[in-house]
């Protein structure tokens, strides 16, 4: 797989749409910046990528991904430092993860030149779209689609890679209430739970709609064999503080997404000397810890949500309330620490931040 030319063609907008956007009240996922990057894969190679004005796509109704879901995506965030310089959080980790998703979904690897250089060029061009107030960022959405005009079922031969960016506020505005799911299943060993395949999110819509009707915000998925071991929450990895130990399910069985925020959280906690265990966690262990007053904190982690505190976990008729969030040590510290690194207020000792 090679790039015909690693240069990126740039076709700029004639007039920015930025004045149409209320940056002071920005929400998640509603507005899109002036430009997007598009690259096509055909005849076994990625063609020259282009940055062009953000626009609708024109595709045949027979396009593969529309029927069979051969589609994957990533989520990344860019911030601005106090001196107004754009910086992107760990994009190479997302690039590598996209290629793991691509492999499992029989899609081509995307090159570093197109993903990373393209992303940097795009963010540089639309740097005015990066909001600067606390809890805001430029959310970056790279995605790949199978675009053969063919409705037989086989891996496609043509693909499209696109990056769009979106000025974004927080994904969750308040702590979340979680329902422990033991009817529907998100992932099995050998499945696609570890990928960011579109279908992983599509399949969650119905169970999520059902629990929202019951007044909960998100699902805590459990394993499909016994509904006993916890996996992920909605669109996030999950962490619990039990006594003085932070626990999170392991990513060893291909059922759980290897979150970049998850990895950052584990790194920061270990450096602070806090014990972190990546191990199977049963819902019974959480119930016992909660009833004995040892379940101190619970939170989700993800690019969009960053650190999302959980105020209650419900399993059948057992509603486990967490202590008041203002009293939490771990999640509140992590949120601040990550924000300080991302907005360039604290030294980036891990080389996580990439300039444009
Ligand atoms: C992310 O956290 O970036 C995600 O991809 C989750 C979501 C918004 C689907």
């Amino acid at each position: 797989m090679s790039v015909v030319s690693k240069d990126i063609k740039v076709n700029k907008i004639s007039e920015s749409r930025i004045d149409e956007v209320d940056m002071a009240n920005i929400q998640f996922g509603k507005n899109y910046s002036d430009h997007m990057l598009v690259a096509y894969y055909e005849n076994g190679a990625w063609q020259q990528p282009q940055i062009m004005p953000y626009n609708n796509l024109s595709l045949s109704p027979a396009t593969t991904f529309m029927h069979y879901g051969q589609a994957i995506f990533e989520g990344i965030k860019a911030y601005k430092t106090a001196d107004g310089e754009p910086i992107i959080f760990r994009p190479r980790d997302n690039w590598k993860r996209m290629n793991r998703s691509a492999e499992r979904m029989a899609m081509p690897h995307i090159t570093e030149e197109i993903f990373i250089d393209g992303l940097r060029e795009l963010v540089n061009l639309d740097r005015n779209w990066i909001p600067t107030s606390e809890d805001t960022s430029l959310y970056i959405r790279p995605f790949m689609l199978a675009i053969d005009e063919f409705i037989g079922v086989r891996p496609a031969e043509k693909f499209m890679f696109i990056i769009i960016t979106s000025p974004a506020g927080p994904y969750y505005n308040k702590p979340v209430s979680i329902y422990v799911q033991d009817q529907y299943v998100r992932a099995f060993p050998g499945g696609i739970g570890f990928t960011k395949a579109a279908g992983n999110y599509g399949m969650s819509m119905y169970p999520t709609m059902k629990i929202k009707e019951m007044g909960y915000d998100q699902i805590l998925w459990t394993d499909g064999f016994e509904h006993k071991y916890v996996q992920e929450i909605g669109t996030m990895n999950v962490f619990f503080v039990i006594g003085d130990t932070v626990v999170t399910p392991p990513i060893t069985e291909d059922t759980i997404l290897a979150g970049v925020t998850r990895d950052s959280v584990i790194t920061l906690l270990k450096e602070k000397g806090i014990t972190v265990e990546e191990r199977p966690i049963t819902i019974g262990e959480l119930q016992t810890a909660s009833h004995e007053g040892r379940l101190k904190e619970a939170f989700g982690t993800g690019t969009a949500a960053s650190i999302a505190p959980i105020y209650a976990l419900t399993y059948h008729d057992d509603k486990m309330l967490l202590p008041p969030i203002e009293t939490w040590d771990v999640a509140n510290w992590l949120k601040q620490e990550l924000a300080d690194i991302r907005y360039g207020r604290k030294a980036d000792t891990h080389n996580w931040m990439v300039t444009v």
Side-chain angles (χ1 to χ4, degrees):
M1 256 154 266
S2 64
V3 194
V4 171
S5 159
K6 75 176 192 168
D7 297 327
I8 300 165
K9 240 163 88 179
V10 181
N11 170 17
K12 291 190 192 166
I13 41 113
S14 43
E15 203 177 332
S16 175
R17 290 178 284 102
I18 199 162
D19 290 341
E20 295 166 16
V21 178
D22 180 4
M23 284 288 195
N25 297 296
I26 199 82
Q27 294 174 35
F28 184 89
K30 300 246 165 149
N31 301 100
Y32 300 94
S33 322
D34 285 328
H35 297 91
M36 62 184 189
L37 177 137
V38 177
Y40 289 93
Y41 181 89
E42 52 195 32
N43 303 321
W46 285 103
Q47 309 299 306
Q48 184 181 39
Q50 295 191 36
I51 289 178
M52 59 180 73
Y54 178 91
N55 208 340
N56 293 342
L57 304 176
S58 171
L59 291 167
S60 152
T63 304
T64 312
F65 82 88
M66 295 182 190
H67 302 270
Y68 307 124
Q70 208 185 355
I72 56 176
F73 71 97
E74 275 299 327
I76 306 173
K77 278 180 173 172
Y79 303 82
K80 253 187 195 167
T81 63
D83 345 325
E85 274 315 301
I87 38 177
I88 310 170
F89 187 67
R90 303 189 68 174
R92 283 194 182 80
D93 296 274
N94 296 85
W95 165 60
K96 289 179 191 158
R97 188 173 66 188
M98 180 165 238
N99 282 340
R100 293 199 295 274
S101 298
E103 209 155 300
R104 178 62 178 81
M105 295 297 288
M107 301 170 89
H109 280 189
I110 185 81
T111 64
E112 186 169 3
E113 284 84 359
I114 297 178
F115 192 106
I116 300 292
D117 299 350
L119 181 55
R120 292 170 75 190
E121 185 122 9
L122 186 65
V123 171
N124 189 28
L125 189 62
D126 281 341
R127 56 167 60 212
N128 292 344
W129 288 81
I130 307 176
T132 49
S133 47
E134 199 68 20
D135 282 340
T136 66
S137 60
L138 186 73
Y139 184 77
I140 301 165
R141 171 53 62 85
F143 57 108
M144 197 194 293
L145 309 170
I147 56 163
D148 285 9
E149 192 178 345
F150 179 61
I151 53 168
V153 181
R154 58 145 168 77
E157 291 168 355
K158 290 187 189 160
F159 298 87
M160 221 179 159
F161 172 72
I162 307 177
I163 309 178
I164 55 174
T165 69
S166 168
Y171 196 77
Y172 293 110
N173 286 310
K174 55 180 185 53
V176 289
S177 162
I178 299 296
Y179 181 83
V180 182
Q181 180 60 260
D182 65 357
Q183 182 183 2
Y184 303 103
V185 182
R186 178 183 177 277
F188 273 101
I192 59 166
F194 70 98
T195 69
K196 276 189 94 71
N200 275 335
Y201 298 78
M203 76 86 217
S204 73
M205 303 288 177
Y206 180 77
T208 305
M209 179 179 79
K210 288 305 200 195
I211 61 105
K212 284 197 172 166
E213 283 166 9
M214 291 155 67
Y216 304 100
D217 298 307
Q218 275 297 345
I219 287 172
L220 176 56
W221 297 101
T222 52
D223 71 281
F225 297 111
E226 300 176 89
H227 289 299
K228 183 172 158 190
Y229 295 97
V230 304
Q231 293 183 333
E232 282 189 32
I233 292 189
T235 60
M236 299 180 283
N237 293 118
V238 67
F239 287 78
F240 303 96
V241 182
I242 301 181
D244 292 332
T245 303
V246 179
V247 293
T248 190
I251 50 172
T252 45
E253 273 201 331
D254 288 354
T255 51
I256 292 178
L257 187 81
V260 177
T261 313
R262 175 188 185 277
D263 182 73
S264 310
V265 158
I266 293 173
T267 303
L268 292 175
L269 290 174
K270 286 188 174 166
E271 279 173 7
K272 200 172 159 62
I274 295 174
T275 308
V276 183
E277 291 174 359
E278 293 176 73
R279 62 163 174 82
I281 305 159
T282 64
I283 186 66
E285 176 184 357
L286 296 177
Q287 285 181 290
T288 307
S290 167
H291 301 157
E292 293 175 353
R294 290 181 295 109
L295 183 60
K296 303 249 185 310
E297 304 181 29
F299 53 94
T301 66
T303 297
S306 194
I307 307 284
I310 295 166
Y311 72 88
L313 264 178
T314 303
Y315 179 59
H316 292 206
D317 52 9
D318 188 6
K319 182 161 185 166
M320 295 167 256
L321 283 177
L322 278 290
I325 290 159
E326 319 76 74
T327 65
W328 294 10
D329 293 328
V330 176
N332 292 334
W333 175 78
L334 278 169
K335 187 168 188 281
Q336 189 62 46
E337 190 73 4
L338 273 172
D340 287 345
I341 297 170
R342 287 167 167 160
Y343 292 107
R345 296 189 290 248
K346 204 156 198 179
D348 172 25
T349 54
H350 310 90
N351 289 324
W352 282 342
M353 305 310 301
V354 170
T355 57
V356 301

